[in-house]
PDB file of all heavy atoms in Angstrom:
ATOM      1  N   GLN A 381       9.570  63.219 -17.250  1.00  0.00           N
ATOM      2  CA  GLN A 381       9.604  64.407 -18.111  1.00  0.00           C
ATOM      3  C   GLN A 381       8.184  64.777 -18.517  1.00  0.00           C
ATOM      4  O   GLN A 381       7.267  63.948 -18.479  1.00  0.00           O
ATOM      5  CB  GLN A 381      10.459  64.150 -19.356  1.00  0.00           C
ATOM      6  CG  GLN A 381       9.986  63.010 -20.231  1.00  0.00           C
ATOM      7  CD  GLN A 381      10.769  62.899 -21.527  1.00  0.00           C
ATOM      8  OE1 GLN A 381      10.624  63.734 -22.405  1.00  0.00           O
ATOM      9  NE2 GLN A 381      11.593  61.859 -21.644  1.00  0.00           N
ATOM     10  N   PRO A 382       7.972  66.022 -18.897  1.00  0.00           N
ATOM     11  CA  PRO A 382       6.650  66.412 -19.407  1.00  0.00           C
ATOM     12  C   PRO A 382       6.285  65.560 -20.623  1.00  0.00           C
ATOM     13  O   PRO A 382       7.146  65.090 -21.357  1.00  0.00           O
ATOM     14  CB  PRO A 382       6.849  67.884 -19.792  1.00  0.00           C
ATOM     15  CG  PRO A 382       8.013  68.343 -18.985  1.00  0.00           C
ATOM     16  CD  PRO A 382       8.915  67.148 -18.853  1.00  0.00           C
ATOM     17  N   GLN A 383       5.003  65.366 -20.827  1.00  0.00           N
ATOM     18  CA  GLN A 383       4.556  64.522 -21.923  1.00  0.00           C
ATOM     19  C   GLN A 383       4.903  65.158 -23.267  1.00  0.00           C
ATOM     20  O   GLN A 383       4.490  66.278 -23.567  1.00  0.00           O
ATOM     21  CB  GLN A 383       3.047  64.293 -21.834  1.00  0.00           C
ATOM     22  CG  GLN A 383       2.526  63.260 -22.808  1.00  0.00           C
ATOM     23  CD  GLN A 383       1.086  62.872 -22.513  1.00  0.00           C
ATOM     24  OE1 GLN A 383       0.443  63.437 -21.637  1.00  0.00           O
ATOM     25  NE2 GLN A 383       0.583  61.898 -23.251  1.00  0.00           N
ATOM     26  N   PRO A 384       5.676  64.438 -24.117  1.00  0.00           N
ATOM     27  CA  PRO A 384       6.057  64.995 -25.419  1.00  0.00           C
ATOM     28  C   PRO A 384       4.861  65.077 -26.362  1.00  0.00           C
ATOM     29  O   PRO A 384       3.827  64.437 -26.158  1.00  0.00           O
ATOM     30  CB  PRO A 384       7.095  63.992 -25.941  1.00  0.00           C
ATOM     31  CG  PRO A 384       7.489  63.160 -24.756  1.00  0.00           C
ATOM     32  CD  PRO A 384       6.298  63.128 -23.860  1.00  0.00           C
ATOM     33  N   SER A 385       5.014  65.824 -27.423  1.00  0.00           N
ATOM     34  CA  SER A 385       3.922  66.010 -28.378  1.00  0.00           C
ATOM     35  C   SER A 385       3.571  64.724 -29.110  1.00  0.00           C
ATOM     36  O   SER A 385       2.430  64.550 -29.556  1.00  0.00           O
ATOM     37  CB  SER A 385       4.298  67.093 -29.398  1.00  0.00           C
ATOM     38  OG  SER A 385       5.463  66.719 -30.120  1.00  0.00           O
ATOM     39  N   TRP A 386       4.550  63.779 -29.233  1.00  0.00           N
ATOM     40  CA  TRP A 386       4.261  62.530 -29.926  1.00  0.00           C
ATOM     41  C   TRP A 386       3.573  61.498 -29.028  1.00  0.00           C
ATOM     42  O   TRP A 386       3.128  60.459 -29.494  1.00  0.00           O
ATOM     43  CB  TRP A 386       5.531  61.916 -30.521  1.00  0.00           C
ATOM     44  CG  TRP A 386       6.740  61.902 -29.625  1.00  0.00           C
ATOM     45  CD1 TRP A 386       7.797  62.754 -29.656  1.00  0.00           C
ATOM     46  CD2 TRP A 386       7.020  60.976 -28.560  1.00  0.00           C
ATOM     47  NE1 TRP A 386       8.723  62.429 -28.685  1.00  0.00           N
ATOM     48  CE2 TRP A 386       8.267  61.344 -28.008  1.00  0.00           C
ATOM     49  CE3 TRP A 386       6.335  59.877 -28.024  1.00  0.00           C
ATOM     50  CZ2 TRP A 386       8.851  60.651 -26.936  1.00  0.00           C
ATOM     51  CZ3 TRP A 386       6.895  59.188 -26.958  1.00  0.00           C
ATOM     52  CH2 TRP A 386       8.147  59.581 -26.424  1.00  0.00           C
ATOM     53  N   SER A 387       3.499  61.772 -27.727  1.00  0.00           N
ATOM     54  CA  SER A 387       2.879  60.850 -26.773  1.00  0.00           C
ATOM     55  C   SER A 387       1.398  61.168 -26.640  1.00  0.00           C
ATOM     56  O   SER A 387       1.015  62.256 -26.220  1.00  0.00           O
ATOM     57  CB  SER A 387       3.568  60.965 -25.412  1.00  0.00           C
ATOM     58  OG  SER A 387       2.928  60.149 -24.447  1.00  0.00           O
ATOM     59  N   ALA A 388       0.557  60.203 -27.008  1.00  0.00           N
ATOM     60  CA  ALA A 388      -0.891  60.441 -26.994  1.00  0.00           C
ATOM     61  C   ALA A 388      -1.503  60.213 -25.623  1.00  0.00           C
ATOM     62  O   ALA A 388      -2.430  60.920 -25.217  1.00  0.00           O
ATOM     63  CB  ALA A 388      -1.570  59.532 -28.014  1.00  0.00           C
ATOM     64  N   PHE A 389      -0.994  59.201 -24.892  1.00  0.00           N
ATOM     65  CA  PHE A 389      -1.551  58.891 -23.575  1.00  0.00           C
ATOM     66  C   PHE A 389      -0.516  58.104 -22.794  1.00  0.00           C
ATOM     67  O   PHE A 389       0.230  57.292 -23.356  1.00  0.00           O
ATOM     68  CB  PHE A 389      -2.837  58.057 -23.706  1.00  0.00           C
ATOM     69  CG  PHE A 389      -3.529  57.834 -22.385  1.00  0.00           C
ATOM     70  CD1 PHE A 389      -4.434  58.766 -21.897  1.00  0.00           C
ATOM     71  CD2 PHE A 389      -3.266  56.709 -21.613  1.00  0.00           C
ATOM     72  CE1 PHE A 389      -5.064  58.575 -20.670  1.00  0.00           C
ATOM     73  CE2 PHE A 389      -3.890  56.505 -20.388  1.00  0.00           C
ATOM     74  CZ  PHE A 389      -4.796  57.445 -19.912  1.00  0.00           C
ATOM     75  N   ARG A 390      -0.468  58.324 -21.472  1.00  0.00           N
ATOM     76  CA  ARG A 390       0.436  57.548 -20.625  1.00  0.00           C
ATOM     77  C   ARG A 390      -0.159  57.406 -19.231  1.00  0.00           C
ATOM     78  O   ARG A 390      -0.923  58.272 -18.778  1.00  0.00           O
ATOM     79  CB  ARG A 390       1.827  58.176 -20.582  1.00  0.00           C
ATOM     80  CG  ARG A 390       1.889  59.585 -20.048  1.00  0.00           C
ATOM     81  CD  ARG A 390       3.295  60.174 -20.184  1.00  0.00           C
ATOM     82  NE  ARG A 390       3.414  61.417 -19.413  1.00  0.00           N
ATOM     83  CZ  ARG A 390       4.540  62.084 -19.251  1.00  0.00           C
ATOM     84  NH1 ARG A 390       5.665  61.640 -19.812  1.00  0.00           N
ATOM     85  NH2 ARG A 390       4.563  63.198 -18.531  1.00  0.00           N
ATOM     86  N   SER A 391       0.200  56.303 -18.556  1.00  0.00           N
ATOM     87  CA  SER A 391      -0.387  55.994 -17.258  1.00  0.00           C
ATOM     88  C   SER A 391       0.578  55.142 -16.452  1.00  0.00           C
ATOM     89  O   SER A 391       1.312  54.317 -17.003  1.00  0.00           O
ATOM     90  CB  SER A 391      -1.711  55.246 -17.443  1.00  0.00           C
ATOM     91  OG  SER A 391      -2.174  54.727 -16.220  1.00  0.00           O
ATOM     92  N   ASN A 392       0.538  55.310 -15.136  1.00  0.00           N
ATOM     93  CA  ASN A 392       1.380  54.530 -14.230  1.00  0.00           C
ATOM     94  C   ASN A 392       0.625  53.436 -13.491  1.00  0.00           C
ATOM     95  O   ASN A 392       1.135  52.886 -12.523  1.00  0.00           O
ATOM     96  CB  ASN A 392       2.055  55.443 -13.207  1.00  0.00           C
ATOM     97  CG  ASN A 392       3.493  55.714 -13.549  1.00  0.00           C
ATOM     98  OD1 ASN A 392       3.963  56.824 -13.405  1.00  0.00           O
ATOM     99  ND2 ASN A 392       4.213  54.705 -13.997  1.00  0.00           N
TER     100      ASN A 392
END
Side-chain angles (χ1 to χ4, degrees):
Q381 60 173 289
Q383 189 169 5
S385 60
W386 45 259
S387 176
F389 186 87
R390 60 186 192 174
S391 169
N392 258 139

